[in-house]
Amino acid sequence: MSTTVAEDGRQGRSGAFEHPLAFWAGALACTAGVLLHLPMYFGAKDMGYHLRGMRPDAPMIAGMALIGVGLAAVLYGLVPRHTGSIVRSSARIRVRTLDDAPINAQHVALLLVMALAVTIDVMKPTALAFVAPGFAKEYGLKSPGNPHGHIPVSWLPLTGITGTVIGSWLWGWLGDRIGRRASILMAGMMFVSTSICGAMPGFKWNLLMCFLMGIGAGGMLPITFTLMAETIPARHRGWLMVLIGGDIAGAYVITSWLSARLTPTYSWRILWLIGLPTGLLLIALNHWIPESPRYLLARGRRREAEAVMKRYGATAEEVPEEEAEVGQAVERSGWLALVRRPLAGPTVAITVLGIGVGLMTYGFQLWVPTNLQHLGYSAVGGDYVIRNAAVLGLPLTVVCAWMYGVWGSRKTIVTVTAVTAVTLFGFVIAGNSLAHHRTLLSLLLVVPLSGVSSVVAVVAGYAAEIYPTLVRSRGTGLAAGMTKAGGVLILALTVAAASVPSIATTAVLGAVPLLLAALLFLWIGPETKARRLEDIGREVMGTAGTGRSG
């Protein structure tokens, strides 16, 4: 490869952080800050861990200060200098994952860590469904279990999901500016820090921390998919991304099980506090999260980039002049490039599908525990019904991954989306009569609970494949953000109506845009099956006739 990027004198450095001492000191400060919130929580054991009306004590206030300082130190430790010049330099570098490279131990380790990252990430917004009933009870909010409350419980998920939309877009931008790995680790520290939401006594403080928690959770999914797309060989890339992304269903199983086992004893707050150990676990596994070799080359850290490429079976080459100019123009446009030709078509299809997923996830899925209680199930009984349905649906994730690898991306998206929409109409037809047919209810829940995870995985994986490298993280962030934007819409309507919509209403709201998305992908969705990212990018950008096919 010709050297178009100057060495920065740090080729041999094995350290993964710009300022390692600052990063680890910040991580320690954030962890200590969270621990200082726990005495107040455990002190309320005799009151069922209810903290409503209590004032923050001195350790809690000190903990908040430590977390603020710690997050600033972590960010300083991760963010490289001269990010603008890095992006301009990287426009002339192409890193190709070898099409026929076998899946090796490094790929397996990366996939396992990314599966864990997706699971931890999805547990945050998923927990909103199981937190809402207890949260409403403690603060006297309006819900099906407390119809006489004045403030709707929907405010909690609304603030949290709004945060995930912002987080998806913010982390999508960060991933393209500071690197994939640094963005993942920053999101992990946000998981750790915002677990203090479980110890917040005030209603407004809960909303604020839930919003910040959403910002952290919203960023993990687009970055993990971007990193996988850039490191997995083309013939394995699609189905493996969908399989790992489908672990969203696994996160739902874990969260429903934890809710049934822990919340009767430790209250709803424990579902937020487990963000501390899960976030620290992700940070501890940072050694198995590689940085994008293309990003390393742009920084002049060639030895590190070559080591990563050797482990993952990749090569590097210089981009032809004309193609590089197109890439630089796209990068200068930033977010606007996603909504202009030639990317506008795929973006429209992905946006409609994302909104449909959001309406289904945060309209239908979010209120399933609450609506089951409204239908006469106990809180624990409803959690187990949901868990059983999610467990039964786990094999569907494997089937969807197989379809993505064998059928291709477009056929898979259309099929899974259409089947999920048709199943949702079953809830519209049956309505409240499902309260008397537990088996039918469990069977009908299988597809929406697993289908939503498969659709989220498919849309994120597809976005990671379809967008050019310079805006790939932003494109995947847009897709992830759109899957939450539909949630913001339905939750805002719920807050305005001051009531939780019925299971039939949420089903039809999710089914209609899913069917529309299926039609759009049939019309304008490019196929990505087993194709190199460079080839897909050239086709989408209209530069297929320039330079080498490499």
Side-chain angles (χ1 to χ4, degrees):
M1 171 187 166
S2 61
T3 57
T4 59
V5 182
E7 298 287 350
D8 67 358
R10 294 176 293 171
Q11 288 184 26
R13 193 186 73 179
S14 59
F17 309 107
E18 187 75 12
H19 302 96
L21 182 61
F23 175 83
W24 290 113
L28 181 62
C30 289
T31 303
V34 174
L35 293 176
L36 286 172
H37 284 70
L38 297 183
M40 189 170 178
Y41 166 75
F42 286 115
K45 177 180 178 180
D46 294 338
M47 298 183 293
Y49 297 98
H50 283 201
L51 301 179
R52 179 187 180 186
M54 299 178 65
R55 297 179 63 85
D57 56 13
M60 181 179 287
I61 294 173
M64 290 182 185
L66 272 176
I67 290 172
V69 173
L71 286 176
V74 166
L75 186 62
Y76 175 73
L78 289 172
V79 176
R81 296 182 293 271
H82 312 304
T83 57
S85 61
I86 292 170
V87 173
R88 288 190 293 272
S89 299
S90 65
R92 300 196 55 80
I93 303 170
R94 173 192 296 153
V95 173
R96 298 193 297 106
T97 304
L98 296 179
D99 294 341
D100 298 322
I103 296 294
N104 58 31
Q106 296 292 333
H107 290 115
V108 173
L110 171 64
L111 291 170
L112 290 175
V113 175
M114 292 298 96
L116 177 66
V118 170
T119 301
I120 294 172
D121 175 66
V122 177
M123 284 176 65
K124 293 286 188 178
T126 299
L128 285 167
F130 302 94
V131 164
F135 183 76
K137 183 178 180 181
E138 179 170 343
Y139 289 95
L141 306 178
K142 188 172 184 178
S143 67
N146 181 30
H148 303 295
H150 296 292
I151 302 176
V153 67
S154 306
W155 273 109
L156 182 71
L158 176 61
T159 55
I161 302 308
T162 301
T164 63
V165 175
I166 296 173
S168 294
W169 295 339
L170 175 61
W171 254 257
W173 174 78
L174 279 176
D176 285 332
R177 302 295 293 185
I178 70 172
R180 307 349 182 180
R181 186 175 187 274
S183 299
I184 289 175
L185 294 176
M186 188 64 199
M189 286 313 305
M190 287 288 289
F191 289 171
V192 171
S193 302
T194 56
S195 65
I196 63 173
C197 189
M200 288 292 106
F203 172 70
K204 293 181 179 179
W205 275 104
N206 268 280
L207 296 185
L208 175 61
M209 293 310 304
C210 192
F211 173 76
L212 296 176
M213 183 187 296
I215 291 179
M220 186 66 74
L221 197 64
I223 302 301
T224 54
F225 273 87
T226 298
L227 186 56
M228 285 191 289
E230 294 174 343
T231 52
I232 304 299
R235 63 194 180 104
H236 300 293
R237 183 185 64 235
W239 72 269
L240 280 174
M241 285 197 298
V242 174
L243 185 64
I244 297 301
D247 198 44
I248 293 171
Y252 208 83
V253 171
I254 294 171
T255 307
S256 59
W257 176 76
L258 288 173
S259 177
R261 295 286 294 179
L262 299 179
T263 57
T265 303
Y266 301 101
S267 85
W268 58 272
R269 295 178 179 274
I270 194 67
L271 295 180
W272 291 148
L273 291 172
I274 59 177
L276 173 62
T278 55
L280 289 177
L281 176 61
L282 182 61
I283 298 299
L285 296 174
N286 78 88
H287 175 73
W288 287 274
I289 305 174
E291 182 52 272
S292 166
R294 182 174 175 282
Y295 184 83
L296 292 172
L297 284 167
R299 295 204 63 202
R301 292 160 58 179
R302 190 180 307 157
R303 291 180 186 174
E304 293 177 61
E306 289 174 349
V308 174
M309 289 189 289
K310 183 178 180 180
R311 291 201 303 269
Y312 291 95
T315 58
E317 64 183 18
E318 188 172 348
V319 175
E321 184 69 27
E322 184 178 348
E323 192 173 330
E325 290 176 359
V326 173
Q328 289 171 342
V330 169
E331 197 284 325
R332 285 194 297 270
S333 298
W335 287 103
L336 290 177
L338 304 180
V339 295
R340 292 175 176 171
R341 287 180 177 273
L343 298 178
T347 296
V348 168
I350 289 172
T351 296
V352 174
L353 178 56
I355 290 174
V357 170
L359 290 171
M360 181 171 64
T361 304
Y362 302 104
F364 179 83
Q365 191 181 84
L366 176 66
W367 299 115
V368 165
T370 301
N371 277 318
L372 289 184
Q373 293 182 38
H374 183 59
L375 292 177
Y377 289 88
S378 67
V380 174
D383 289 348
Y384 279 121
V385 168
I386 296 168
R387 184 206 62 181
N388 293 340
V391 169
L392 289 173
L394 284 176
L396 294 180
T397 301
V398 179
V399 173
C400 186
W402 175 84
M403 290 168 58
Y404 202 95
V406 175
W407 284 10
S409 56
R410 183 165 58 182
K411 288 182 180 178
T412 301
I413 291 173
V414 172
T415 302
V416 174
T417 302
V419 169
T420 304
V422 170
T423 305
L424 286 173
F425 279 117
F427 288 92
V428 179
I429 296 171
N432 291 339
S433 66
L434 288 171
H436 308 293
H437 302 88
R438 182 166 182 159
T439 302
L440 177 60
L441 174 62
S442 296
L443 291 175
L444 280 176
L445 281 172
V446 167
V447 173
L449 294 185
S450 295
V452 68
S453 64
S454 297
V455 176
V456 170
V458 165
V459 71
Y462 186 80
E465 293 183 302
I466 206 71
Y467 288 110
T469 304
L470 284 174
V471 292
R472 178 168 294 122
S473 184
R474 269 171 281 194
T476 313
L478 173 69
M482 287 298 103
T483 64
K484 312 296 193 307
V488 172
L489 175 62
I490 186 64
L491 289 170
L493 293 174
T494 302
V495 168
S499 63
V500 173
S502 68
I503 199 167
T505 301
T506 56
V508 74
L509 287 174
V512 172
L514 288 179
L515 287 176
L516 177 59
L519 295 174
L520 282 172
F521 271 94
L522 276 175
W523 179 32
I524 57 176
E527 181 55 66
T528 63
K529 178 185 174 183
R531 299 178 63 192
R532 294 198 303 258
L533 295 179
E534 311 83 57
D535 295 339
I536 298 170
R538 283 198 293 268
E539 178 187 334
V540 172
M541 296 304 298
T543 59
T546 66
R548 297 170 293 180
S549 62

